[in-house]
């Protein structure tokens, strides 16, 4: 199911995660040659992709909403 990107956060390993309108999260790696998403590497690129859609397999599976894990410093 296609869902809009509504925000981003970094996971505990400092990888970018897209927050989708359906309340699921999806990693958005730039990992050439397998995944080329150079836009992930800059703030401008991430902002430009807000509102664009990603396929959410968690919606297809009926998974519950994701939650951000708080990391203590």
């Amino acid at each position: 199911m296609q869902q809009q990107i509504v925000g981003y956060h970094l996971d505990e390993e400092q990888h970018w995660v897209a927050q989708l309108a359906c309340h699921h999260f999806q990693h958005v790696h730039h990992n050439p040659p397998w995944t080329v998403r150079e836009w992930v590497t800059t703030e401008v690129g991430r902002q430009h992709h807000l509102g664009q859609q990603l396929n959410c397999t968690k919606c297809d599976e009926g998974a519950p909403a994701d939650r951000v894990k708080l990391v203590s410093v």
Side-chain angles (χ1 to χ4, degrees), residues 16-66:
W16 285 107
V17 178
Q19 298 165 203
L20 304 178
C22 59
H23 303 286
H24 288 128
F25 300 157
Q26 187 174 119
H27 281 91
V28 284
H29 299 285
H30 174 56
N31 188 17
W34 307 109
T35 306
V36 179
R37 290 185 177 145
E38 291 183 34
W39 58 267
V40 171
T41 63
T42 67
E43 179 68 25
V44 171
R46 289 187 299 276
Q47 292 299 316
H48 180 72
H49 280 76
L50 285 175
Q52 293 197 6
Q53 297 196 4
L54 292 175
N55 185 45
C56 182
T57 57
K58 292 179 182 180
C59 278
D60 295 337
E61 298 167 354
D66 290 318

